Every structure is written in C-alpha cells, then in structure tokens.
Amino acid sequence: MGLFGTDGVRGLANEELTAELAYHLGKAGGVYWRARAETDTPVVLLGRDTRLSGDMLTAAVAAGLMAAGCAVRDLGVAPTPAVAYLTGTSRAVGGVVVSASHNPWQYNGIKFFSAAGTKLQREEEAELEALVDHSRAGKLPGAGPREIGRLVECHWELDRYTADLIGLVRKALGSRHPFSGLKVVIDCAHGATVATAQQVLAALGATVVSLGVEPDGLNINAGCGSLHPEAVAARVRAEQAQLGLAFDGDGDRVIAVTEEGSVVDGDGIMAVCARDLAERDQLAANTVVATVMSNLALDLLLAQWDIAVARTPVGDREVYNRMVELGAVLGGEPSGHIIFAAHNKTGDGLLTGLQLLMVLRRTGQPLSQLVADFQPL
C-alpha cells in the first residue's frame, strides 16, 4: 500500500490526502493504541499547523480516534516538536500531528508519535497500514456506544512546552532574562511556531523582530521560512541583529543566519553545538549523528576536536534511532532538523535556536566567528 513515506503520510489535500483517509488513519491509530493501553479510554494528543486543510483533516483524524475509543486532547495550532514533547512527558498513549512540514499549503500530512514522543518505527507503520486497509474495507470494529471517545480542546497545554523551554535556558545560564541585550530576527513561515517562538524568546529577554507571523491558511512556507532564509538575512543586516532564525511550517527545523547575514545550515549548527557540548563534557559518546546528506566538511572539522560522526539514511527517525544505539545526544540533518536528545526526541527548531543563543551568550562570540572554521566542500 505504501502510505507512509520518510516522515508520515503526505499528499495533495482533499485529493490524495482526503478526509476519508484521515479518518481511517485516525481509527487505525486509535485501535492500535487502545489494544496496548492500560486504560479503556486512552488519551491521544492532536496538533496541526496553519494550512487551510488543517481543520478538515484534524477533525477527520479526531473522529477516527474517537470512533476507536480514544480520548482526544486537541492542542490546536502547535509545532510538531511540541506535540512530540508533550506526548512523551504526559500519560498519553500517542500523538498525531496534521502537517506537511516545509511543503506548500496545497499539501498536508499526518505524523504519528509513540507514547515516548518518538516517530513510529517502520514495522509499526506497516501495522497501521494493515489496519487502514481493514478500516477501508469496513472490517475494523470500533468502540461500543458507551466507549466512544470525547474531544477536549487543550490549547493551554502548549504553555507547558514553552514554560519548559524557558526554564531550561534560565537554569542553564542562571538568569531570568539571559538573552537580554540580544536582538533576534525570526521567520515563523506563517506556520506553527507563531504559537511559541516569539513568546519564548521575549520571555528570555531577547528583542524579537518577527517575520512570517500572519498565517492565512495559504501563505505557509510561501517564499519564507527555512527554505527562503534570505528574508531573515536582509532583516538581520538592517536591524543589526545578533542572530536570525528561519523556521519551517511545522517548526521541526531551523536555518540560522549570522549577524553578517550569512546563512548557516544544519551542518554548521551541529558543528557549533557539538564543540560547545564537548567543551562542557556534555557530548555523550563524543559522537554526532548525521545523515548521508551532511557535507564531509562536518566530519573533517569535528575530527579536529576528536569528535566522531556517525552516518545514517535520511530522516530524523533514522537519526534518533542511531543516537539511541550509540548513546549520542546530538544529531541532525543539513535541512535544519536537529535533535538534542536530552530535551526532545525529534527535530525541534525552537530548541535548536535556543541552544545556539546559549552558545553565543556563553562564549561572547558572534555566530560568524563560531562557524568560521566550517567551510562546506
């Protein structure tokens, strides 16, 4: 059947990814999780990005989950990493995100997360595909009339994700407003980070200049965000800011911009953060996990600091799995999916941006100087 790709199920909204398919995916996920739950009405968290089809597909997924007997806690517009984090730090049996990440508004997707907040494994996705087939054929029994799940809007739960990020930085730097005096330009790509990025950075004392924060359902990722960091670069120069951060539509990736307006991709970000972690004896296994897409310059530079690079196929699921095998805490892709496993188990653009800002604050050096040794081949 081949529903699942590298990162969930994706397709043209209402043509390839229809409300009917979303319902069957929701029901399949609900049956899958309920069979493994310790309670009769297990909880599933549900979030989405800002694209037009999000309301329709989220409603369909929720209906399927409830038909299977799951209680749905609707987070509303929420970054993918926020849903993953909240799922993994709550009693939920799973999480679902309706998003097509960096793709144009016409597309959408559905991603599943385990109770631990990790992407489902391929064998688990294969089991879900079989359940979808049964559901489409009318052979997947749902919950009884008294067992149907309910939906509760829990947009406030996103506050726990943002509060934990704020607390992480304050504890690490020992200050209530550790980014005071730093000006940061962000581009939320008219996507899900409109719900988190500005608030977190402002709470930490940064002066925030915001782009891409007026979603209308059709402008997500349109000439903005991580695929088009040139807008942030121009604004960083104009504002004389210390850093630029360009997120994608669902917030699981980020591309950085130096104070000079130069773009720094995921490889450059990993190089800066790996060295910082190693110097503070916090780079477990003294290894960074990267995919086959990362530039060889990353390996050569990190080798100068006695840091190894382990390679995986493309996809942050592959990266995280290898990180678990090796006991590594840092991994990612040049696209800006960066995983800091001590804090989240999937790519998290905002967390990555905060980590970069903490390096700037600890070292007192501008990003241009921190990445000067990284010269892509």
Side-chain angles (χ1 to χ4, degrees):
M1 187 172 170
L3 275 178
F4 287 86
T6 303
D7 193 15
V9 178
R10 290 188 188 175
L12 195 60
N14 218 30
E15 293 186 16
E16 298 166 330
L17 182 53
T18 62
E20 290 81 5
L21 177 55
Y23 169 80
H24 293 304
L25 282 163
K27 187 175 182 182
V31 168
Y32 175 86
W33 281 316
R34 195 170 184 226
R36 292 159 175 76
E38 298 178 356
T39 177
D40 291 336
T41 311
V43 173
V44 177
L45 302 188
L46 178 61
R48 62 178 176 83
D49 66 22
T50 58
R51 64 193 72 221
L52 179 64
S53 57
D55 289 344
M56 175 189 74
L57 293 173
T58 299
V61 170
L65 288 166
M66 291 184 285
C70 291
V72 178
R73 304 185 79 167
D74 183 9
L75 304 178
V77 172
T80 290
V83 178
Y85 176 82
L86 293 170
T87 300
T89 55
S90 68
R91 295 182 179 179
V93 296
V96 182
V97 177
V98 176
S99 171
S101 190
H102 60 283
N103 293 113
W105 69 270
Q106 298 95 326
Y107 293 84
N108 217 324
I110 297 174
K111 309 178 187 182
F112 291 84
F113 289 91
S114 72
T118 61
K119 299 281 181 67
L120 296 188
Q121 300 301 316
R122 294 197 182 278
E123 57 271 20
E124 295 174 307
E125 291 179 342
E127 188 170 344
L128 279 184
E129 287 198 14
L131 291 172
V132 169
D133 285 340
H134 287 305
S135 182
R136 282 172 152 173
K139 298 178 180 178
L140 188 64
R146 289 183 175 272
E147 300 170 325
I148 295 171
R150 290 186 174 182
L151 182 145
V152 178
E153 292 188 356
C154 296
H155 301 180
W156 52 267
E157 282 211 24
L158 198 57
D159 293 342
R160 180 162 64 85
Y161 167 75
T162 57
D164 286 356
L165 286 178
I166 292 168
L168 166 70
V169 177
R170 285 175 172 168
K171 181 178 180 181
L173 297 182
S175 169
R176 182 166 180 79
H177 299 112
F179 297 155
S180 178
L182 292 176
K183 181 182 285 189
V184 183
V185 178
I186 63 172
D187 185 344
C188 294
H190 302 298
T193 51
V194 297
T196 57
Q198 300 174 94
Q199 299 89 317
V200 169
L201 289 166
L204 291 167
T207 299
V208 185
V209 178
S210 301
L211 308 176
V213 290
E214 298 177 352
D216 62 10
L218 306 178
N219 58 1
I220 186 171
N221 299 315
C224 57
S226 62
L227 292 180
H228 300 278
E230 57 271 13
V232 169
R235 195 64 178 270
V236 165
R237 290 191 293 266
E239 296 280 349
Q240 296 185 319
Q242 281 71 52
L243 183 69
L245 298 171
F247 305 103
D248 70 334
D250 74 330
D252 62 358
R253 66 170 73 178
V254 67
I255 295 296
V257 174
T258 73
E259 79 287 354
E260 297 174 344
S262 299
V263 173
V264 180
D265 70 1
D267 286 346
I269 293 171
M270 284 191 288
V272 170
C273 292
R275 185 175 187 178
D276 173 70
L277 288 167
E279 289 177 345
R280 294 185 293 114
D281 294 322
Q282 293 187 18
L283 188 65
N286 214 40
T287 299
V288 172
V289 177
T291 72
V292 294
M293 297 298 291
S294 279
N295 196 283
L296 180 61
L298 179 65
D299 307 59
L300 298 177
L301 179 59
L302 294 185
Q304 296 180 26
W305 305 321
D306 296 321
I307 299 172
V309 176
R311 297 280 184 157
T312 74
V314 173
D316 65 346
R317 170 175 55 192
E318 303 293 342
V319 171
Y320 181 72
N321 286 346
R322 192 66 187 280
M323 291 172 69
V324 172
E325 290 175 11
L326 299 174
V329 295
L330 176 62
E333 303 180 278
S335 61
H337 283 112
I338 311 295
I339 301 174
F340 291 87
H343 309 295
N344 207 343
K345 298 174 181 178
T346 190
D348 189 330
L350 181 53
L351 172 61
T352 301
L354 296 175
Q355 295 285 355
L356 266 182
L357 282 163
M358 284 194 283
V359 177
L360 264 63
R361 191 51 102 195
R362 287 191 192 100
T363 63
Q365 297 177 2
L367 183 57
S368 62
Q369 186 173 339
L370 292 169
V371 298
D373 292 335
F374 179 68
Q375 298 295 329
L377 302 179

